[in-house]
Amino acid sequence: MQVLDRLDRSHRADLRQLLPRIGLLLAVLVACWVLPVPPALRGLAAHAPLHALLETLSIVVAGLIFSLAWGSRLGQVPGNVCVLACAFAGVGLLDFSHLLSYAGMPDYVTPSGPEKAIDFWLAARFLAGLALLWMVAAPWQSALERRSRHALLLGVAALVALVHWAVLLHPASLPRTFVAGQGLTPLKIASEYLLVGLLVLTALLLLRRMREPTPFNASALLGAVLCMAMSELFFTLYASVTDVLNLAGHVYKVIGYLFLHRAVFMEAVQRPYTELEQVKEQLQATLKTVPDLVFEVDADGRYLSYHSPPSDLLAAAPEHFIGRLITEVLPPEAAATVMQTLGEALEHGSSSGRRIVLDLPVGRHHFELHATRCQQEAGDRPRLIVLSRNITQEVNAREALLDAAQQTQAILDNVIDGIITIDRQGNVKTFNRSASKIFGYEASEVLGLNVKMLMPLPYADEHDGYLAHYARTGVRQVIGRGREVEGRRKNGEVFPMSLAVNEIEREGERIYIGMVRDITQRRAAEAEIQRLAFFDQLTDLPNRRLLLDRLDRAVLSAARRSQLGALLFIDLDEFKLLNDTWGHDFGDRVLVQVARRLSGAVREGDTVARLGGDEFVIMLESLGQTREEAAAHAEMVARKILQSFEQPFLLLEREQHSSPSIGITLFGDNLLSAGELMAHADTAMYQAKAQGKNTFRFFDAELQAVLAGRAALEADLRQSISRRQLLLHFQPQVDAQGRVLGAEALLRWQHPQRGLVPPGAFIPEAEQCGFVLELGQWVLDTACRTLAAWARHPHCSSLDLSVNVSALQLRDAHFVDGVLDTLRRHGADPRRLKLELTESLLAENVEDTIAKMSQLRAAGVGFSLDDFGTGYSSLNYLRRLPLEELKIDRSFVNDMLGDPNGAVIARTIVALGQTFGLQVIAEGVETPEQRDALLKMGCRRFQGFLFGRPVDQASFERLPQSLTAVPS
């Protein structure tokens, strides 16, 4: 079973039938060999008629093998079968001579005998064995030509004649194969074994070929080979064992010939008929699947038969047109076309291509006609096969395709992109209307010419190389990759365009489709966007973004080449006044002329940029390798700019003078960023303004350190409230007897790194950056909270608390509401709150100040004029202000003992207070002498280190009610 599994499926069924038969024959062989011969059978093989019968059967079968292969479809018999047939024709002749030479037969040319018969026998067996080996081992051949077949047959005949010549005429020249009284010679036995080996080899090769399908009946051929091999085994023993084995060998030979006859019959007769039946079935199946109408007609156009799977396509029912003429069934125009087709087929053998249109019940249909003249016997009337193919769908599809093509062409003619198709040689095949508009050529001027006529150099020279490289390697350099190139119009103008190339195959020809778009406007728009993004719209100078980009690159380049550069920051003096006076349009005209003058003052490679407003920056590169050399060049440019501004600007028939302040910083020998360099130049520019304007200054590192310190201080200050770093200290205020009347709330800043920061170090910075409003609100909140706490304290409930108010607080529109709301939130008594104003507050918007003070005074809040005598307040305003107290500035208190003028001022302030009915208090009292002098002047209230230093709330509340000396 394992052997069967290895063989091809096409052989397994036949082998299952063959193997039992071969097994039976093999069993008989073993039985004849091993078992004794029954007495009744002894001497049976000696009967010449029985031998003659068996040999005659072998000769007849061999003849049938030859006649089947040679006479059946001779021109189509495979070459291997033809070789086998010719060989067995020779085998039959040799077996016939063997029969005539058998002992007991009449003389056959020479006396008959065992050795003569054996010689013819061996020749026949070797010829048969070699032929079988050739058929199995040789490649399967197609039919041999007539000449080759006859040559092969003559060759076999010559071989047979040669054997007869040797055996009949020259027997002494042949080796002995049988000795009377001794039996078979070793040569004869060896020959039989050699034949067995030859046949076994043939069987093994055949089994190997049966692993695949074979073009012949391999199973029958295998049975023939195995039977003939067993036959030869019998013939090795018949003289030494029994004559029955001789008889059995002849029987097995006949059976082998019958197997071989079956194999040749299958190939030469049965297989052709089987193939013919298969062809017939395939033809019927094909005809059933053909959707076309098939008619058989005679030369007159009379319908003889038909085949029509779709019967609804017939022009009439079959019973109505069979036997009738075409002209009687079809409309005249269609009938005439069919008759023309028949006439052409009768004349030339076939006709095809003509079409007819029929209006059928299922609608109008189109048919294409193909007619072929049938083979006919002499005297028969000509007949024709007409195939009518329904091409309605094809016609409709073609019409739809034509409509689609027309629609597509209309679309192509109206798209904005130029569409150009070219062949493999680069010649233009199509050129749509948009392409004509883009390039300026009519389609007729371009079609058939090479597309490179639309390209400028170097694209024109490269185009053919691209096509050749792609055709040779298949590597796409342009195809499928959109890119931007340049085109050339008919007038020679070169313009930018986007190009996308794709490849299609149409009717077996490779076509390239190029889509072209003129991007001239897009490039212009991109350039405009670039200009708007990187250039100032008013002056067309580089803007801040482009300047910083160039400055970054210039800094790197300067460090790499050891060449210093300079940055000049230019601000126009009093430009705001010019804008406010003459309007922004006039100011813009000035800026445009300034840009021209600045550009004229520098080299071509230098950068002049406008940051915005009246600020300009000039970047100078490659000024030298030393700071002295670079500074000298930068100074020269700055002086040139100042000189150019000496000439007035002529605008709208008006002369306008303007001057610049210029800040300069150098770069290239440090690791500063572009932002840091801009900050340095800006700082230097403000130094120039501080020096009187219309000048230039180089950046001062010490000043920058001060500014950096102020910036850091501001940053820390803005976080002081959230980080709870602020606190209030209280300095007592006493009367002439030393009784504590109240206190002044003084702000302190406890910074973790800076320590306790005095007010003079951070209050001015807070006022400058605007943070003083938040500080003031925090102080007011804390003071009111303190007053509310003091109201519950037995020694502090009658004390007043003075709080300093800045100018920004007082200018705030919500100042009054803020103060009153804070008092209400904390439940503080407004009569105990005293707001101290500096005399400088009265210099601006006095009426608004008086109104706000009056509202608060009406609510009970008191006011004290701090640092009185240091400003320039009008006595008229002093009279109108709702003040409660005047405070003598500490500078007058310090100077009054040594400077008569200081004493006069202090005495005058006391007198003014008395005149206007105001309390007068002196601050900064540090010695008893100062206190005594003030008492003599009439001052009855004091504040200073003599009575107590500023302390926190808890320490203040522990102070005695009367202070006559500085506390320890």
Side-chain angles (χ1 to χ4, degrees):
M1 294 303 295
Q2 293 182 351
V3 175
L4 284 177
D5 292 339
R6 295 179 182 177
L7 302 183
D8 188 75
R9 293 179 179 273
S10 61
H11 304 298
R12 294 177 185 176
D14 291 338
L15 276 177
R16 288 190 178 94
Q17 296 178 3
L18 174 66
L19 289 178
R21 300 171 186 175
I22 296 298
L24 178 61
L25 291 174
L26 184 59
V28 173
L29 169 63
V30 173
C32 291
W33 198 339
V34 174
L35 299 177
V37 180
L41 298 179
R42 293 183 184 276
L44 183 63
H47 294 283
L50 182 58
H51 174 266
L53 176 62
L54 293 175
E55 286 297 339
T56 301
L57 288 175
S58 298
I59 294 168
V60 171
V61 174
L64 289 174
I65 291 172
F66 171 72
S67 62
L68 283 173
W70 187 267
S72 299
R73 297 170 58 246
L74 188 59
Q76 300 181 27
V77 174
N80 300 56
V81 177
C82 188
V83 170
L84 183 66
C86 292
F88 265 79
V91 170
L93 292 174
L94 292 172
D95 280 342
F96 180 73
S97 296
H98 164 73
L99 171 63
L100 296 179
S101 302
Y102 195 73
M105 296 294 289
D107 290 344
Y108 175 55
V109 182
T110 60
S112 298
E115 187 170 13
K116 180 180 176 182
I118 289 174
D119 289 341
F120 281 113
W121 171 268
L122 289 177
R125 302 288 75 74
F126 273 107
L127 180 57
L130 291 173
L132 289 170
L133 180 62
W134 169 265
M135 182 176 177
V136 172
W140 198 253
Q141 299 178 358
S142 59
L144 299 178
E145 296 182 357
R146 184 181 183 87
R147 180 180 301 177
S148 300
R149 293 195 300 272
H150 286 84
L152 178 61
L153 186 59
L154 288 175
V156 172
L159 179 62
V160 171
L162 178 62
V163 171
H164 281 77
W165 175 81
V167 174
L168 296 177
L169 301 180
H170 301 281
S173 62
L174 299 177
R176 299 299 300 274
T177 57
F178 181 84
V179 178
Q182 297 181 4
L184 301 177
T185 66
L187 175 62
K188 199 276 183 181
I189 296 174
S191 298
E192 294 291 352
Y193 281 120
L194 179 60
L195 282 169
V196 173
L198 182 65
L199 292 170
V200 171
L201 175 62
T202 303
L204 293 175
L205 292 176
L206 184 56
L207 286 172
R208 183 176 181 181
R209 288 197 66 171
M210 290 173 70
R211 294 179 180 178
E212 299 177 355
T214 59
F216 54 88
N217 190 337
S219 298
L221 189 61
L222 179 63
V225 171
L226 293 176
C227 286
M228 293 171 70
M230 288 187 284
S231 170
E232 296 303 324
L233 286 175
F234 280 112
F235 289 121
T236 60
L237 302 172
Y238 68 85
S240 60
V241 180
T242 175
D243 289 340
V244 174
L245 295 178
N246 184 354
L247 177 63
H250 282 81
V251 173
Y252 273 56
K253 184 185 76 168
V254 173
I255 296 173
Y257 278 23
L258 291 174
F259 272 115
L260 187 59
H261 174 268
R262 175 173 174 79
V264 175
F265 177 81
M266 289 290 293
E267 179 61 33
V269 178
Q270 187 174 347
R271 186 185 297 274
Y273 280 106
T274 302
E275 292 178 354
L276 183 61
E277 190 66 26
Q278 291 175 350
V279 170
K280 182 179 178 181
E281 292 176 357
Q282 290 177 357
L283 182 59
Q284 289 293 335
T286 302
L287 195 59
K288 290 180 181 179
T289 59
V290 171
D292 303 327
L293 305 176
V294 182
F295 302 95
E296 184 181 10
V297 299
D298 61 16
D300 296 330
R302 190 179 306 278
Y303 290 104
L304 302 178
S305 65
Y306 82 100
H307 167 75
S308 173
S311 59
D312 56 349
L313 296 180
L314 292 174
E319 61 271 15
H320 292 162
F321 69 81
I322 296 298
R324 299 177 64 187
L325 296 175
I326 291 175
T327 54
E328 297 174 348
V329 176
L330 299 181
E333 183 177 355
T337 303
V338 176
M339 294 307 295
Q340 290 176 4
T341 301
L342 297 180
E344 183 176 347
L346 287 171
E347 181 178 357
H348 301 289
S350 64
S351 175
S352 62
R354 289 184 174 86
R355 297 182 177 183
I356 61 174
V357 180
L358 297 178
D359 290 320
L360 304 175
V362 293
R364 171 166 289 194
H365 280 68
H366 300 258
F367 298 90
E368 187 174 72
L369 303 177
H370 302 269
T372 302
R373 186 179 61 199
C374 299
Q375 296 291 335
Q376 64 188 42
E377 299 293 336
D380 290 345
R381 284 180 58 80
R383 292 183 304 164
L384 302 100
I385 299 297
V386 179
L387 187 147
S388 180
R389 175 165 296 168
N390 183 9
I391 59 171
T392 304
Q393 291 184 351
E394 179 183 341
V395 171
N396 292 340
R398 185 173 299 157
E399 292 177 352
L401 185 61
L402 181 60
D403 292 341
Q406 292 174 347
Q407 182 180 7
T408 301
Q409 188 60 45
I411 294 173
L412 294 178
D413 287 338
N414 290 278
V415 295
I416 62 173
D417 293 331
I419 301 178
I420 306 170
T421 61
I422 63 173
D423 57 19
R424 297 183 64 176
Q425 288 72 40
N427 298 322
V428 178
K429 307 295 289 185
T430 64
F431 197 75
N432 76 336
R433 191 175 300 166
S434 294
S436 296
K437 292 179 181 178
I438 292 173
F439 290 97
Y441 288 98
E442 294 296 330
S444 58
E445 298 178 274
V446 179
L447 295 179
L449 301 179
N450 196 289
V451 73
K452 63 185 179 182
M453 66 181 291
L454 306 176
M455 306 175 187
L457 296 176
Y459 302 106
D461 292 340
E462 296 172 351
H463 181 262
D464 290 343
Y466 285 145
L467 288 179
H469 182 266
Y470 177 61
R472 185 173 64 256
T473 65
V475 177
R476 299 186 171 193
Q477 295 177 310
V478 177
I479 297 174
R481 300 179 181 179
R483 60 177 188 157
E484 294 185 358
V485 296
E486 290 182 338
R488 184 176 63 190
R489 305 189 203 276
K490 183 178 180 180
N491 60 8
E493 177 188 353
V494 176
F495 66 98
M497 67 180 189
S498 65
L499 172 65
V501 181
N502 287 293
E503 176 188 15
I504 64 171
E505 189 166 320
R506 187 174 63 190
E507 298 178 358
E509 181 182 5
R510 187 173 293 171
I511 299 294
Y512 303 101
I513 302 176
M515 299 188 66
V516 177
R517 176 172 294 184
D518 187 345
I519 58 173
T520 303
Q521 293 184 353
R522 196 194 79 188
R523 286 280 182 87
E526 290 175 351
E528 179 63 16
I529 293 173
Q530 178 83 358
R531 190 186 69 81
L532 293 176
F534 294 101
F535 290 87
D536 178 59
Q537 296 185 44
L538 178 64
T539 63
D540 209 29
L541 294 176
N543 60 11
R544 176 187 292 272
R545 183 177 180 182
L546 181 56
L547 170 68
L548 293 177
D549 179 69
R550 290 184 180 180
L551 183 55
D552 284 333
R553 288 187 279 111
V555 169
L556 295 176
S557 176
R560 186 173 58 252
R561 297 186 297 111
S562 299
Q563 281 284 335
L564 275 66
L567 203 64
L568 282 68
F569 198 111
I570 303 164
D571 185 88
L572 301 184
D573 299 329
E574 308 299 341
F575 184 76
K576 182 178 182 303
L577 178 61
L578 182 148
N579 257 343
D580 294 342
T581 304
W582 302 107
H584 289 280
D585 182 64
F586 186 84
D588 288 346
R589 294 174 183 268
V590 171
L591 293 175
V592 171
Q593 290 203 15
V594 167
R596 292 174 184 170
R597 293 192 184 184
L598 294 178
S599 299
V602 299
R603 300 167 299 181
E604 184 175 353
D606 296 327
T607 296
V608 179
R610 181 187 176 217
L611 299 186
D614 60 338
E615 294 179 338
F616 296 84
V617 174
I618 295 178
M619 185 180 70
L620 307 174
E621 296 186 74
S622 301
L623 300 182
Q625 295 184 340
T626 65
R627 294 187 65 84
E628 292 76 12
E629 185 179 2
H633 282 290
E635 181 179 352
M636 180 182 66
V637 173
R639 293 188 183 280
K640 188 175 182 181
I641 293 172
L642 293 174
Q643 184 178 3
S644 68
F645 273 73
E646 292 178 358
Q647 298 296 323
F649 297 97
L650 299 176
L651 299 166
L652 302 177
E653 299 181 355
R654 180 187 301 117
E655 289 188 359
Q656 177 64 42
H657 290 272
S658 184
S659 63
S661 294
I662 306 172
I664 307 173
T665 187
L666 302 180
F667 64 84
D669 59 348
N670 48 49
L671 299 177
L672 298 179
S673 65
E676 291 172 319
L677 291 174
M678 291 285 289
H680 288 182
D682 185 45
T683 300
M685 182 272 293
Y686 279 108
Q687 287 181 280
K689 283 190 177 294
Q691 295 298 320
K693 305 176 182 178
N694 195 25
T695 186
F696 65 88
R697 286 291 181 272
F698 282 87
F699 171 72
D700 185 351
E702 294 181 0
L703 176 61
Q704 182 64 22
V706 172
L707 295 178
R710 290 176 57 186
L713 180 68
E714 177 185 341
D716 289 345
L717 184 59
R718 289 186 179 278
Q719 297 177 348
S720 60
I721 296 178
S722 61
R723 294 181 177 178
R724 302 180 180 278
Q725 296 173 352
L726 298 179
L727 49 89
L728 280 185
H729 281 187
F730 302 90
Q731 188 174 28
Q733 296 175 338
V734 300
D735 60 9
Q737 289 74 35
R739 291 191 300 264
V740 178
L741 303 175
E744 180 180 3
L746 300 173
L747 181 62
R748 297 291 185 265
W749 179 18
Q750 185 67 49
H751 191 271
Q753 283 80 37
R754 302 175 187 271
L756 188 63
V757 184
F762 67 87
I763 292 298
E765 182 63 30
E767 290 179 342
Q768 185 173 351
C769 69
F771 189 65
V772 71
L773 292 177
E774 297 180 49
L775 286 181
Q777 183 59 44
W778 183 88
V779 170
L780 188 60
D781 269 319
T782 305
C784 290
R785 189 182 306 110
T786 302
L787 283 175
W790 283 356
R792 298 185 295 274
H793 196 282
H795 303 300
C796 301
S797 58
S798 61
L799 299 182
D800 295 336
L801 184 58
S802 298
V803 176
N804 290 282
V805 176
S806 70
L808 288 177
Q809 286 179 278
L810 192 60
R811 293 181 193 137
D812 185 9
H814 305 288
F815 174 69
V816 174
D817 294 336
V819 172
L820 297 177
D821 180 66
T822 303
L823 288 167
R824 281 193 297 270
R825 278 191 292 109
H826 295 288
D829 186 354
R831 294 171 299 175
R832 298 301 174 191
L833 177 64
K834 187 182 299 181
L835 301 181
E836 293 192 2
L837 309 177
T838 61
E839 192 176 0
S840 59
L841 287 178
L842 305 178
E844 297 181 8
N845 204 359
V846 177
E847 297 299 331
D848 181 67
T849 302
I850 294 174
K852 292 177 179 178
M853 292 174 64
S854 299
Q855 293 180 53
L856 291 173
R857 189 73 186 91
V861 178
F863 287 92
S864 173
L865 190 59
D866 195 9
D867 302 334
F868 186 73
T870 60
Y872 306 94
S873 56
S874 167
L875 294 179
N876 181 48
Y877 289 150
L878 187 62
R879 179 182 59 83
R880 296 175 53 196
L881 290 173
L883 294 173
E884 181 181 341
E885 182 180 75
L886 293 179
K887 181 176 282 189
I888 303 174
D889 186 68
R890 69 176 60 251
S891 61
F892 300 136
V893 174
N894 290 335
D895 295 341
M896 67 180 183
L897 296 180
D899 183 3
N901 292 328
V904 171
I905 294 174
R907 189 177 298 111
T908 302
I909 293 173
V910 173
L912 284 173
Q914 294 173 350
T915 301
F916 288 104
L918 303 176
Q919 296 290 339
V920 178
I921 184 172
E923 66 176 350
V925 180
E926 298 180 358
T927 65
E929 291 80 10
Q930 292 173 341
R931 179 197 57 190
D932 296 340
L934 289 168
L935 283 171
K936 291 180 180 180
M937 295 177 186
C939 180
R940 294 294 182 266
R941 296 190 176 193
F942 311 97
Q943 177 183 340
F945 289 170
L946 179 62
F947 306 100
R949 293 178 176 274
V951 294
D952 57 46
Q953 180 178 345
S955 300
F956 180 83
E957 292 173 353
R958 290 196 297 269
L959 291 176
Q961 297 183 10
S962 178
L963 299 173
T964 57
V966 178
S968 58

